[in-house]
Each structure stands twice: as C-alpha cells, then as structure tokens.
mmCIF file of all heavy atoms in Angstrom:
data_model
loop_
_atom_site.group_PDB
_atom_site.id
_atom_site.type_symbol
_atom_site.label_atom_id
_atom_site.label_comp_id
_atom_site.label_asym_id
_atom_site.label_seq_id
_atom_site.Cartn_x
_atom_site.Cartn_y
_atom_site.Cartn_z
ATOM 1 N N LEU A 1 0.839 -1.192 0.000
ATOM 2 C CA LEU A 1 0.000 0.000 0.000
ATOM 3 C C LEU A 1 0.880 1.250 0.000
ATOM 4 O O LEU A 1 1.844 1.330 0.752
ATOM 5 C CB LEU A 1 -0.883 0.026 1.250
ATOM 6 C CG LEU A 1 -1.878 -1.111 1.408
ATOM 7 C CD1 LEU A 1 -2.569 -1.014 2.765
ATOM 8 C CD2 LEU A 1 -2.904 -1.083 0.308
ATOM 9 N N THR A 2 0.572 2.198 -0.856
ATOM 10 C CA THR A 2 1.317 3.449 -0.848
ATOM 11 C C THR A 2 0.401 4.650 -0.662
ATOM 12 O O THR A 2 0.771 5.610 -0.013
ATOM 13 C CB THR A 2 2.129 3.622 -2.150
ATOM 14 O OG1 THR A 2 1.250 3.518 -3.267
ATOM 15 C CG2 THR A 2 3.232 2.585 -2.257
ATOM 16 N N LYS A 3 -0.795 4.602 -1.219
ATOM 17 C CA LYS A 3 -1.707 5.745 -1.133
ATOM 18 C C LYS A 3 -2.831 5.522 -0.139
ATOM 19 O O LYS A 3 -3.524 6.450 0.234
ATOM 20 C CB LYS A 3 -2.309 6.046 -2.514
ATOM 21 C CG LYS A 3 -1.294 6.538 -3.526
ATOM 22 C CD LYS A 3 -1.971 6.892 -4.825
ATOM 23 C CE LYS A 3 -0.965 7.414 -5.823
ATOM 24 N NZ LYS A 3 -1.611 7.781 -7.092
ATOM 25 N N THR A 4 -3.057 4.292 0.267
ATOM 26 C CA THR A 4 -4.113 3.999 1.230
ATOM 27 C C THR A 4 -3.491 3.277 2.415
ATOM 28 O O THR A 4 -2.397 2.737 2.329
ATOM 29 C CB THR A 4 -5.212 3.105 0.621
ATOM 30 O OG1 THR A 4 -4.652 1.827 0.324
ATOM 31 C CG2 THR A 4 -5.821 3.709 -0.618
ATOM 32 N N LYS A 5 -4.198 3.263 3.515
ATOM 33 C CA LYS A 5 -3.711 2.585 4.714
ATOM 34 C C LYS A 5 -4.862 1.790 5.308
ATOM 35 O O LYS A 5 -5.994 2.260 5.307
ATOM 36 C CB LYS A 5 -3.200 3.629 5.718
ATOM 37 C CG LYS A 5 -2.562 3.036 6.954
ATOM 38 C CD LYS A 5 -2.011 4.144 7.827
ATOM 39 C CE LYS A 5 -1.180 3.655 8.973
ATOM 40 N NZ LYS A 5 -1.723 2.662 9.829
ATOM 41 N N VAL A 6 -4.559 0.605 5.781
ATOM 42 C CA VAL A 6 -5.545 -0.189 6.495
ATOM 43 C C VAL A 6 -5.084 -0.224 7.939
ATOM 44 O O VAL A 6 -4.038 -0.781 8.270
ATOM 45 C CB VAL A 6 -5.660 -1.616 5.919
ATOM 46 C CG1 VAL A 6 -6.594 -2.457 6.770
ATOM 47 C CG2 VAL A 6 -6.153 -1.564 4.481
ATOM 48 N N ASP A 7 -5.858 0.394 8.799
ATOM 49 C CA ASP A 7 -5.514 0.472 10.209
ATOM 50 C C ASP A 7 -5.810 -0.861 10.894
ATOM 51 O O ASP A 7 -6.799 -1.517 10.584
ATOM 52 C CB ASP A 7 -6.324 1.598 10.856
ATOM 53 C CG ASP A 7 -5.829 1.928 12.239
ATOM 54 O OD1 ASP A 7 -4.883 2.732 12.357
ATOM 55 O OD2 ASP A 7 -6.382 1.355 13.198
ATOM 56 N N ASP A 8 -4.954 -1.231 11.840
ATOM 57 C CA ASP A 8 -5.146 -2.494 12.560
ATOM 58 C C ASP A 8 -6.505 -2.577 13.253
ATOM 59 O O ASP A 8 -7.047 -3.669 13.415
ATOM 60 C CB ASP A 8 -4.041 -2.686 13.606
ATOM 61 C CG ASP A 8 -2.735 -3.167 12.998
ATOM 62 O OD1 ASP A 8 -2.679 -3.411 11.776
ATOM 63 O OD2 ASP A 8 -1.759 -3.310 13.766
ATOM 64 N N THR A 9 -7.064 -1.449 13.656
ATOM 65 C CA THR A 9 -8.366 -1.496 14.333
ATOM 66 C C THR A 9 -9.437 -2.067 13.417
ATOM 67 O O THR A 9 -10.369 -2.712 13.891
ATOM 68 C CB THR A 9 -8.798 -0.100 14.836
ATOM 69 O OG1 THR A 9 -8.812 0.816 13.735
ATOM 70 C CG2 THR A 9 -7.870 0.405 15.925
ATOM 71 N N LEU A 10 -9.290 -1.858 12.098
ATOM 72 C CA LEU A 10 -10.248 -2.444 11.156
ATOM 73 C C LEU A 10 -10.091 -3.955 11.120
ATOM 74 O O LEU A 10 -11.082 -4.687 11.098
ATOM 75 C CB LEU A 10 -10.058 -1.848 9.772
ATOM 76 C CG LEU A 10 -10.499 -0.396 9.630
ATOM 77 C CD1 LEU A 10 -10.019 0.188 8.313
ATOM 78 C CD2 LEU A 10 -12.009 -0.294 9.728
ATOM 79 N N CYS A 11 -8.850 -4.444 11.114
ATOM 80 C CA CYS A 11 -8.623 -5.893 11.116
ATOM 81 C C CYS A 11 -9.161 -6.520 12.403
ATOM 82 O O CYS A 11 -9.824 -7.559 12.380
ATOM 83 C CB CYS A 11 -7.128 -6.199 11.005
ATOM 84 S SG CYS A 11 -6.330 -5.538 9.529
ATOM 85 N N LEU A 12 -8.849 -5.843 13.527
ATOM 86 C CA LEU A 12 -9.205 -6.400 14.830
ATOM 87 C C LEU A 12 -10.679 -6.235 15.174
ATOM 88 O O LEU A 12 -11.143 -6.771 16.174
ATOM 89 C CB LEU A 12 -8.313 -5.785 15.911
ATOM 90 C CG LEU A 12 -6.827 -6.108 15.725
ATOM 91 C CD1 LEU A 12 -5.984 -5.363 16.750
ATOM 92 C CD2 LEU A 12 -6.560 -7.608 15.781
ATOM 93 N N ALA A 13 -11.430 -5.540 14.311
ATOM 94 C CA ALA A 13 -12.877 -5.470 14.496
ATOM 95 C C ALA A 13 -13.500 -6.838 14.222
ATOM 96 O O ALA A 13 -14.538 -7.179 14.786
ATOM 97 C CB ALA A 13 -13.488 -4.411 13.582
ATOM 98 N N CYS A 14 -12.857 -7.630 13.362
ATOM 99 C CA CYS A 14 -13.351 -8.971 13.025
ATOM 100 C C CYS A 14 -12.467 -10.085 13.591
ATOM 101 O O CYS A 14 -12.949 -11.153 13.939
ATOM 102 C CB CYS A 14 -13.435 -9.140 11.511
ATOM 103 S SG CYS A 14 -14.594 -8.017 10.714
ATOM 104 N N HIS A 15 -11.174 -9.838 13.633
ATOM 105 C CA HIS A 15 -10.211 -10.848 14.072
ATOM 106 C C HIS A 15 -9.747 -10.545 15.488
ATOM 107 O O HIS A 15 -9.212 -9.474 15.750
ATOM 108 C CB HIS A 15 -8.997 -10.867 13.134
ATOM 109 C CG HIS A 15 -9.346 -11.148 11.709
ATOM 110 N ND1 HIS A 15 -9.612 -12.418 11.245
ATOM 111 C CD2 HIS A 15 -9.474 -10.321 10.645
ATOM 112 C CE1 HIS A 15 -9.892 -12.360 9.948
ATOM 113 N NE2 HIS A 15 -9.825 -11.106 9.558
ATOM 114 N N ASP A 16 -9.932 -11.471 16.407
ATOM 115 C CA ASP A 16 -9.564 -11.293 17.809
ATOM 116 C C ASP A 16 -8.075 -11.612 18.007
ATOM 117 O O ASP A 16 -7.630 -12.711 17.675
ATOM 118 C CB ASP A 16 -10.431 -12.200 18.683
ATOM 119 C CG ASP A 16 -10.125 -12.031 20.148
ATOM 120 O OD1 ASP A 16 -10.662 -11.077 20.760
ATOM 121 O OD2 ASP A 16 -9.332 -12.829 20.682
ATOM 122 N N GLN A 17 -7.312 -10.661 18.552
ATOM 123 C CA GLN A 17 -5.864 -10.819 18.735
ATOM 124 C C GLN A 17 -5.521 -12.031 19.603
ATOM 125 O O GLN A 17 -4.613 -12.789 19.287
ATOM 126 C CB GLN A 17 -5.281 -9.544 19.365
ATOM 127 C CG GLN A 17 -3.767 -9.586 19.538
ATOM 128 C CD GLN A 17 -3.013 -9.490 18.220
ATOM 129 O OE1 GLN A 17 -3.380 -8.716 17.352
ATOM 130 N NE2 GLN A 17 -1.972 -10.274 18.074
ATOM 131 N N GLU A 18 -6.251 -12.236 20.694
ATOM 132 C CA GLU A 18 -5.969 -13.366 21.582
ATOM 133 C C GLU A 18 -6.244 -14.699 20.893
ATOM 134 O O GLU A 18 -5.481 -15.657 21.049
ATOM 135 C CB GLU A 18 -6.765 -13.250 22.880
ATOM 136 C CG GLU A 18 -6.255 -12.137 23.778
ATOM 137 C CD GLU A 18 -7.026 -12.048 25.084
ATOM 138 O OE1 GLU A 18 -7.628 -13.057 25.512
ATOM 139 O OE2 GLU A 18 -7.023 -10.953 25.679
ATOM 140 N N GLU A 19 -7.329 -14.768 20.119
ATOM 141 C CA GLU A 19 -7.632 -15.994 19.378
ATOM 142 C C GLU A 19 -6.558 -16.276 18.333
ATOM 143 O O GLU A 19 -6.155 -17.421 18.144
ATOM 144 C CB GLU A 19 -9.000 -15.895 18.702
ATOM 145 C CG GLU A 19 -10.159 -16.043 19.644
ATOM 146 C CD GLU A 19 -11.503 -15.939 18.926
ATOM 147 O OE1 GLU A 19 -11.561 -16.143 17.697
ATOM 148 O OE2 GLU A 19 -12.504 -15.644 19.616
ATOM 149 N N LEU A 20 -6.104 -15.222 17.660
ATOM 150 C CA LEU A 20 -5.033 -15.392 16.671
ATOM 151 C C LEU A 20 -3.775 -15.922 17.330
ATOM 152 O O LEU A 20 -3.119 -16.831 16.815
ATOM 153 C CB LEU A 20 -4.735 -14.064 15.963
ATOM 154 C CG LEU A 20 -5.826 -13.515 15.054
ATOM 155 C CD1 LEU A 20 -5.478 -12.103 14.604
ATOM 156 C CD2 LEU A 20 -6.018 -14.422 13.852
ATOM 157 N N ALA A 21 -3.427 -15.362 18.483
ATOM 158 C CA ALA A 21 -2.231 -15.794 19.205
ATOM 159 C C ALA A 21 -2.344 -17.263 19.626
ATOM 160 O O ALA A 21 -1.373 -18.020 19.534
ATOM 161 C CB ALA A 21 -1.993 -14.902 20.418
ATOM 162 N N GLU A 22 -3.534 -17.671 20.060
ATOM 163 C CA GLU A 22 -3.751 -19.069 20.439
ATOM 164 C C GLU A 22 -3.594 -19.993 19.233
ATOM 165 O O GLU A 22 -2.974 -21.050 19.329
ATOM 166 C CB GLU A 22 -5.139 -19.248 21.055
ATOM 167 C CG GLU A 22 -5.272 -18.693 22.452
ATOM 168 C CD GLU A 22 -6.697 -18.799 22.994
ATOM 169 O OE1 GLU A 22 -7.483 -19.639 22.494
ATOM 170 O OE2 GLU A 22 -7.018 -18.028 23.916
ATOM 171 N N LYS A 23 -4.161 -19.577 18.087
ATOM 172 C CA LYS A 23 -4.100 -20.405 16.883
ATOM 173 C C LYS A 23 -2.678 -20.573 16.362
ATOM 174 O O LYS A 23 -2.365 -21.583 15.731
ATOM 175 C CB LYS A 23 -4.972 -19.807 15.775
ATOM 176 C CG LYS A 23 -6.452 -19.974 16.000
ATOM 177 C CD LYS A 23 -7.249 -19.367 14.868
ATOM 178 C CE LYS A 23 -8.735 -19.519 15.083
ATOM 179 N NZ LYS A 23 -9.524 -18.907 14.022
ATOM 180 N N THR A 24 -1.825 -19.573 16.580
ATOM 181 C CA THR A 24 -0.452 -19.640 16.048
ATOM 182 C C THR A 24 0.585 -19.924 17.126
ATOM 183 O O THR A 24 1.780 -19.763 16.899
ATOM 184 C CB THR A 24 -0.092 -18.328 15.308
ATOM 185 O OG1 THR A 24 -0.267 -17.214 16.197
ATOM 186 C CG2 THR A 24 -0.946 -18.150 14.066
ATOM 187 N N ALA A 25 0.142 -20.384 18.300
ATOM 188 C CA ALA A 25 1.063 -20.658 19.406
ATOM 189 C C ALA A 25 2.120 -21.691 19.021
ATOM 190 O O ALA A 25 3.270 -21.598 19.448
ATOM 191 C CB ALA A 25 0.295 -21.119 20.641
ATOM 192 N N GLY A 26 1.779 -22.652 18.202
ATOM 193 C CA GLY A 26 2.729 -23.684 17.803
ATOM 194 C C GLY A 26 3.402 -23.420 16.468
ATOM 195 O O GLY A 26 4.151 -24.257 15.961
ATOM 196 N N SER A 27 3.163 -22.245 15.901
ATOM 197 C CA SER A 27 3.724 -21.916 14.588
ATOM 198 C C SER A 27 5.238 -21.768 14.647
ATOM 199 O O SER A 27 5.779 -21.180 15.568
ATOM 200 C CB SER A 27 3.113 -20.607 14.080
ATOM 201 O OG SER A 27 3.769 -20.194 12.899
ATOM 202 N N THR A 28 5.895 -22.288 13.633
ATOM 203 C CA THR A 28 7.356 -22.135 13.531
ATOM 204 C C THR A 28 7.729 -21.228 12.358
ATOM 205 O O THR A 28 8.867 -21.217 11.919
ATOM 206 C CB THR A 28 8.039 -23.505 13.368
ATOM 207 O OG1 THR A 28 7.513 -24.150 12.204
ATOM 208 C CG2 THR A 28 7.830 -24.376 14.597
ATOM 209 N N VAL A 29 6.755 -20.455 11.878
ATOM 210 C CA VAL A 29 6.989 -19.538 10.763
ATOM 211 C C VAL A 29 8.101 -18.550 11.101
ATOM 212 O O VAL A 29 8.940 -18.242 10.271
ATOM 213 C CB VAL A 29 5.686 -18.793 10.397
ATOM 214 C CG1 VAL A 29 5.955 -17.632 9.466
ATOM 215 C CG2 VAL A 29 4.701 -19.752 9.767
ATOM 216 N N LEU A 30 8.101 -18.069 12.348
ATOM 217 C CA LEU A 30 9.125 -17.118 12.773
ATOM 218 C C LEU A 30 10.171 -17.813 13.638
ATOM 219 O O LEU A 30 10.206 -17.654 14.854
ATOM 220 C CB LEU A 30 8.491 -15.944 13.537
ATOM 221 C CG LEU A 30 7.485 -15.105 12.767
ATOM 222 C CD1 LEU A 30 7.016 -13.931 13.610
ATOM 223 C CD2 LEU A 30 8.068 -14.622 11.449
ATOM 224 N N ALA A 31 11.020 -18.582 12.979
ATOM 225 C CA ALA A 31 12.133 -19.248 13.659
ATOM 226 C C ALA A 31 13.422 -18.655 13.113
ATOM 227 O O ALA A 31 13.575 -18.490 11.907
ATOM 228 C CB ALA A 31 12.091 -20.752 13.403
ATOM 229 N N ASP A 32 14.352 -18.321 14.034
ATOM 230 C CA ASP A 32 15.610 -17.753 13.560
ATOM 231 C C ASP A 32 16.668 -18.844 13.430
ATOM 232 O O ASP A 32 16.428 -20.024 13.725
ATOM 233 C CB ASP A 32 16.069 -16.592 14.441
ATOM 234 C CG ASP A 32 16.610 -17.000 15.807
ATOM 235 O OD1 ASP A 32 16.659 -18.217 16.120
ATOM 236 O OD2 ASP A 32 17.000 -16.090 16.566
#
C-alpha cells in the first residue's frame, strides 16, 4: 500500500488478537 492505509483497528474489528495468538502458538513460521 502506498496511497491507502488499512488500520489495525479495522482488522481487529473482526479478528480477535488473543484468538489469533492461540491459533499460532505452535507456529514455527518465525524461527531464527
């Protein structure tokens, strides 16, 4: 995005941060 912005509050209006964290608790996507 360069001319428009999607604010996190719009995402979190539908997607619950705690539920997302629970769903990705076992994720290894971010492994160094």
Side-chain angles (χ1 to χ4, degrees):
L1 298 174
T2 55
K3 293 183 179 181
T4 66
K5 185 176 189 308
V6 174
D7 192 85
D8 281 357
T9 56
L10 289 169
C11 301
L12 297 175
C14 297
H15 301 281
D16 182 83
Q17 183 71 41
E18 289 181 24
E19 285 180 21
L20 293 171
E22 286 176 22
K23 287 180 180 178
T24 56
S27 173
T28 58
V29 167
L30 299 184
D32 73 1

